[in-house]
Amino acid sequence: MSLDAQAAFEAAVAPYRRELLVHCYRMLGSPHDAEDLLQETLLRAWRAADRYDASRSSLRTWLYRIATNACLNALQSARSRPLPSGVGEVFTDPDADFVPGTEVPWLVPLPADPEAGAVERSRLRIALVAALQLLPARQRAVLLLREALELPAAEVAAALDMSTAAVNSALQRARTRLAEEGVDPEGQAEPPAQQRAVVDRYVAAFERADVAAIVAMLADDVVMEMPPMWNWYRGRADYGGFMERVFRTRGTSWQTKPVWANGEAAFLCRRDGEPHSMQVATTSGDLITRLTVHADPAVFALFA
């Protein structure tokens, strides 16, 4: 194709780049893999541009089909990226030894602008993305195509080379599994300002090493996990016990910096000035319902 044609193609696909990246991320659970698959999607689309038929589907739908199939191909040789609370047994002793899980490709959070639309932020909630990783790849693809594009089952079937009955069955199984995980795919993320206000209060208590104030901000069934460790805890008592352990064994000299991840308020955490973790908080009202502590230095670097 000519340079003019290439420029026209790039201008046509530009409005869909961000949402395609989010789609690939939700399929794969890794920002780096999502970026690679976005580039592969656009390359495939460019090579097939002369065969695109606008009378058969919109450009957006066509691009999503290419992206989804590229992700499915990638997932044939790659493992899903869960979080510890989705695949491991809960720990009940806050003083238990840390159990490294470096053999698992854990979910990596996606840097996300708080100014992103409410729909994007809701679809990027870390609990939802983590739950999606527990679904078989085709169930994941069916759910996302039906959710993001609201495509009829017949069109999803054509895009994924499945029967319509198989698509409907996969969709029902996917929704059932998410319900079992306590995740509502239609749930809405808290407004950014409200999230940040809650997390700022949590961070202030954390920097004071005030365990009582931290516990007062937690939901009864709060989850705290820390990939790449298998250790994870549920409930205010064990969460508080773990925080007492942290301050007892790691000291109280902590510094934080606010960031945003997966459409949720987060913060970088340093201990005595040295990088420690990137922590993502999920809020509901004035309470923390989940804290995901990413202790992998590569995740800290991604956000720093």
Side-chain angles (χ1 to χ4, degrees), residues 82-101:
L83 287 174
S85 61
V87 291
E89 293 295 326
V90 65
F91 281 59
T92 56
D93 178 4
D95 289 309
D97 290 341
F98 286 109
V99 181

Side-chain angles (χ1 to χ4, degrees), residues 210-223:
D210 187 340
V211 175
I214 289 173
V215 171
M217 294 190 63
L218 304 178
D220 289 341
D221 59 349
V222 65
V223 167

Side-chain angles (χ1 to χ4, degrees), residues 26-27 75 80-82 128-144 170-181 185:
R26 296 171 78 207
M27 283 288 296
L75 286 168
S80 294
R81 291 177 172 269
L128 174 57
V129 177
L132 290 173
Q133 299 300 302
L134 304 179
L135 303 176
R138 285 194 172 270
Q139 283 186 27
R140 202 179 315 168
V142 167
L143 179 70
L144 294 182
L171 180 62
Q172 182 59 46
R173 292 198 301 273
R175 287 175 171 165
T176 298
R177 180 60 190 274
L178 292 187
E180 291 171 351
E181 295 297 319

